[in-house]
Amino acid sequence: MKRLRIIIGTAAALILASSNATFAAASNDPSWPCIQRKVPELSVGQVWSGPDIPEAAKSWNADTKINELVAELAPRRTPLDVAQKQIVEYATSLPKEQLNDKLFQLFQGLFETLNREREQVVAGISRYAAKQRDLAADLRKEASAVDAMRAKPDTDPEELDRRDEQLKWETRIFEERVQSLTYVCEVPTIIEQRLYGLSKTIGQSMIKQ
């Protein structure tokens, strides 16, 4: 049982970011559980170093081809190098007088799509962490209850074993969720890096003015 308490306490400390100076320094939200700083949404300037994006680019979803390209390029299941090659091929297929305008629209579509996906992931991480904090509190409470049962001479041994096994099982699930959170915390950065890589290819495919 002592080991269970150590596991629960250690895992809870990882979730309760406000108790760790390293986590708190990396985030403007004390409940944020990731080492990576919490940035709820991206700005164009974070991923785009090309010319100013014209207002007309916001109508990107009116173009069927660009809609299709965004749907193909945005998902992470499409390798980045494959997606970048598709951008280059699309750019070379365009008349020069349309090239920049269409690529601006493509960037805008990818930016809106990936930024929205990233926002959803960030919100999901916050919900996940809140649930983990609740689970940690429940596990600590149950561990205390099992300790109290063990201290009583008239406790039913079978009931004690059942509660003890259930606590071990729930603690193991809790640990696995903590480990999963480490990966999930990387997803916003992965999305940002993908968007930056796609944006860089778009910028390089434009006619310099």
Side-chain angles (χ1 to χ4, degrees):
M1 185 58 61
K2 182 178 180 181
R3 178 177 176 274
L4 288 180
R5 287 179 175 278
I6 292 172
I7 290 172
I8 295 168
T10 301
L14 291 173
I15 298 301
L16 296 172
S18 59
S19 67
N20 186 304
T22 301
F23 284 100
S27 176
N28 54 357
D29 180 349
S31 66
W32 181 245
C34 304
I35 294 176
Q36 298 88 343
R37 179 178 172 80
K38 182 180 181 180
V39 180
E41 61 179 312
L42 298 174
S43 66
V44 169
Q46 288 175 269
V47 294
W48 177 253
S49 58
D52 290 343
I53 308 297
E55 188 69 19
K58 293 182 178 180
S59 63
W60 65 271
N61 52 9
D63 187 305
T64 302
K65 178 59 179 178
I66 291 178
N67 260 295
E68 292 174 352
L69 267 177
V70 169
E72 292 174 11
L73 303 178
R76 280 167 282 150
R77 64 175 178 269
T78 303
L80 180 59
D81 59 338
V82 173
Q84 289 172 318
K85 183 179 179 182
Q86 287 181 262
I87 291 172
V88 173
E89 290 174 350
Y90 173 63
T92 56
S93 73
L94 293 169
K96 287 186 177 181
E97 64 272 15
Q98 295 182 17
L99 178 60
N100 284 9
D101 288 342
K102 292 299 183 182
L103 291 181
F104 277 134
Q105 290 182 334
L106 179 58
F107 166 78
Q108 186 68 32
L110 287 168
F111 177 80
E112 291 180 15
T113 301
L114 288 171
N115 197 27
R116 182 168 56 248
E117 178 188 347
R118 188 181 175 284
E119 288 175 8
Q120 292 169 350
V121 171
V122 169
I125 289 172
S126 294
R127 291 192 298 270
Y128 193 99
K131 187 172 183 179
Q132 284 294 88
R133 288 192 294 274
D134 291 342
L135 286 173
D138 290 344
L139 287 171
R140 285 194 295 268
K141 186 183 296 183
E142 180 62 13
S144 295
V146 171
D147 280 346
M149 288 179 65
R150 186 174 284 103
K152 292 181 179 179
D154 59 345
T155 294
D156 181 351
E158 291 186 2
E159 176 64 12
L160 177 59
D161 286 345
R162 186 191 68 79
R163 293 277 292 271
D164 192 41
E165 286 302 312
Q166 181 66 24
L167 179 59
K168 290 177 181 177
W169 172 253
E170 291 176 355
T171 301
R172 186 157 54 247
I173 293 173
F174 181 84
E175 284 185 277
E176 290 173 355
R177 286 175 59 87
V178 171
Q179 292 169 1
S180 296
L181 186 60
T182 301
Y183 166 74
V184 175
C185 281
E186 296 175 357
V187 176
T189 300
I190 291 171
I191 294 173
E192 181 178 350
Q193 290 172 343
R194 181 177 185 82
L195 179 55
Y196 176 78
L198 296 174
S199 301
K200 184 177 180 180
T201 301
I202 291 173
Q204 291 171 341
S205 300
M206 286 183 159
I207 296 173
K208 309 304 178 188
Q209 296 178 340

